[in-house]
Amino acid sequence: MSSTSLTQQKDLVAWRIFSYIFMATFTFLTVAPLIWLFYSSLKPHPEIVRNIFALPRGIHTANYTVAWERGRLGLLIANSVFYAVTATTVTVILALSAGYGLAKFQYRISAVIYIFFIMGLLVTAHSVLVPLFVMATRVGIADTRLGVLLPYVGFGLPFMIYLAASYIRGIPGAVEESARIDGASYLQIFWHVIRPISAPVVATMTIFAFLANWNEFVFVFVLTSRQALRSLPVGVNAFAGGMSRDYGLLFAALVIATIPMILFYIFFHEHLKKGFAAGAVKE
């Protein structure tokens, strides 16, 4: 075996060792805080204060019961589900429709409209909070569910339209021509041809939008004042503020808020990977 081959093998082994160390470190940094959060939620507040990293001396499940009742987490979870599902559904339908129009209907201003949509990616939620609050108050939708849903949809559209338009551009034009020859209208082509073909990117858009809407904090915190309208992230934040300084309750509420996202990822991570892979394939 030549010296060059030996050198290449040594480099390959060294790279693999480095990769395994890097992945193990990243996994530890990701999983360790979750483990610490879970067992800390089973400790009473005084025990946490004495030694924040120590294992619990006993199983203190009362944290979950008190946190659930005091924080009205059942109501907050229902609100989060409503906001996330409604906003995600509306965002995906509008983004797919706009993506189809921008990708397949080549008007003179199509490029300009597309650029305006993409410019929305540069606008952050924090930069428009004050004018958004003033506008919602004057229109009369402040402290309402509609006042929360509209910003969710508006800020979710730019990235979703980018994904949808990029994917639909890769669909062969012959597919639409065949449908038009058969007498299908543009709406029928969109619903019966484009929508099924775009299933991979729709899955990706749905997952991204749902996660973003579920974890969103700022809009609900600023645009609502009644607890009956607030979402789970805002409700959990109350345990760290005026409602309570009990770390056991705070950690229990965080565990309750984290479990849905972990389950969501476990069940849908394959769809996310398939969506990325399908979106990367162009004609």
Side-chain angles (χ1 to χ4, degrees), residues 94-214:
L94 292 179
L96 191 65
S97 304
Y100 173 54
L102 293 171
K104 295 299 183 180
F105 296 89
Q106 299 300 322
Y107 297 110
R108 291 182 178 180
I109 61 173
S110 295
V112 177
I113 296 175
Y114 181 73
I115 291 174
F116 271 105
F117 274 121
I118 299 304
M119 286 176 62
L121 295 172
L122 305 177
V123 180
T124 62
H126 300 82
S127 64
V128 297
L129 273 179
V130 174
L132 188 63
F133 177 78
V134 174
M135 184 186 303
T137 302
R138 291 186 177 179
V139 174
I141 59 174
D143 205 21
T144 65
R145 298 185 189 277
L146 180 62
V148 175
L149 291 174
L150 289 179
Y152 277 21
V153 174
F155 277 85
L157 278 176
F159 182 57
M160 300 304 154
I161 289 177
Y162 168 76
L163 290 178
S166 299
Y167 185 89
I168 293 174
R169 284 194 186 99
I171 298 177
V175 176
E176 296 174 83
E177 292 295 336
S178 300
R180 275 198 289 268
I181 291 174
D182 292 336
S185 63
Y186 287 113
L187 183 60
Q188 291 173 325
I189 293 173
F190 168 74
W191 189 252
H192 296 290
V193 178
I194 300 299
R195 182 185 58 85
I197 295 177
S198 303
V201 76
V202 167
T204 302
M205 292 162 58
T206 301
I207 293 172
F208 266 111
F210 186 87
L211 291 176
N213 293 327
W214 180 275

Side-chain angles (χ1 to χ4, degrees), residues 5 18 44 75-76 124 131 140 166 169 177 187 204 213 220-221 228 238 261 282:
S5 300
F18 172 77
L75 172 64
L76 299 180
T124 62
S166 299
R169 284 194 186 99
E177 292 295 336
L187 183 60
T204 302
N213 293 327
V220 180
F221 184 75
M261 287 296 92
K282 298 295 179 182

Side-chain angles (χ1 to χ4, degrees), residues 28 35 40 44 53 81 91 225 244 279:
F28 175 78
I35 297 175
S40 295
F53 295 110
V81 170
T91 302
S225 58
S244 173

Side-chain angles (χ1 to χ4, degrees), residues 238-250:
F239 283 95
M243 180 183 294
S244 173
R245 295 289 181 178
D246 191 313
Y247 288 123
L249 299 182
L250 173 60

